[in-house]
Structure formats: structure tokens, C-alpha cells
Amino acid sequence: QVKLVESGGGLVQPGGSLTLSCAASGFTFRSYFMRWYRQAPGKERELVATITSAGGLTSYADSVKGRFTISRDDAKSTVFLQMNSLKLEDTAVYYCQAIVGGLASWGQGTQVTVSS
């Protein structure tokens, strides 16, 4: 079955950087788009970044454009989210997602806290 495991979250000061990883298994990773979402307390889950299969085209929410970079390593079935210039409002639980066979699968999430 599809399994997604996020890691790399933590506490960081404003202006700092973190890189999140999501290790995938149970499906042909290279054939699927991958997405990062986040959910802040009291808010709805929002799409942060998407990367296509094969060509690796990317798209970003306006709130993170120019600061975050999504990438993938198909050999390791892993998708990354490099986050730079972090702001207080980036505090959230970050989730990776894959839609396989029409069903969305999610990891357990990793907490990112931006605080001084």
C-alpha cells in the first residue's frame, strides 16, 4: 500500500531554513505528481508546492514563491521541500501527498515551528 513518511521538521528562527523530506513506497514513485501541503492551527490545509513526474515541473503557492523549492529524487523515491527565509506564518504541520489510483494518500506530517 502507499506509504509516505515525512521528516525534517523542527524549530527555526525567522529567516532560517529547513529541508523537509518525504520517503514514499508502495507505488511507482517516478510516475506520479507529488505535493506538499501545510496546515496551521485553526486553518484549513493548503497546497504549498507541486512537482510533476518525469519533467519535474514545479508550482508554488504565492505565499511561498521565491522562498521554497520542491524537488524529487526518483532513485530514492523521495520528495523534498527546501524552505528558506522562513516566516512566523510558515508555522504549520507539513504533509506530503500522492494521488494514486484516484485516492489521495498522506503522510503523518512533520511540525515546522518558526519562532524567535
Side-chain angles (χ1 to χ4, degrees):
Q1 71 276 20
V2 175
K3 185 176 181 182
L4 302 170
V5 180
E6 301 95 338
S7 61
L11 174 65
V12 62
Q13 293 185 338
S17 298
L18 279 176
T19 299
L20 307 183
S21 300
C22 172
S25 61
F27 63 105
T28 308
F29 179 81
R30 65 180 181 274
S31 299
Y32 291 89
F33 287 28
M34 294 298 297
R35 296 175 176 87
W36 283 97
Y37 283 77
R38 68 184 180 186
Q39 188 166 21
K43 295 188 176 181
E44 293 188 357
R45 194 170 295 190
E46 65 169 340
L47 177 61
V48 174
T50 301
I51 187 165
T52 64
S53 58
L57 298 176
T58 59
S59 62
Y60 300 91
D62 287 343
S63 58
V64 307
K65 205 170 291 184
R67 301 188 298 121
F68 289 13
T69 302
I70 187 171
S71 61
R72 63 191 297 156
D73 184 339
D74 289 344
K76 296 182 178 180
S77 297
T78 301
V79 61
F80 304 96
L81 187 67
Q82 171 70 42
M83 306 185 294
N84 298 325
S85 303
L86 282 161
K87 304 177 180 180
L88 297 176
E89 53 264 39
D90 294 319
T91 295
V93 179
Y94 284 72
Y95 301 88
C96 63
Q97 183 222 55
I99 300 176
V100 180
L103 182 66
S105 294
W106 302 86
Q108 82 289 350
T110 187
Q111 176 70 49
V112 172
T113 302
V114 184
S115 175
S116 55

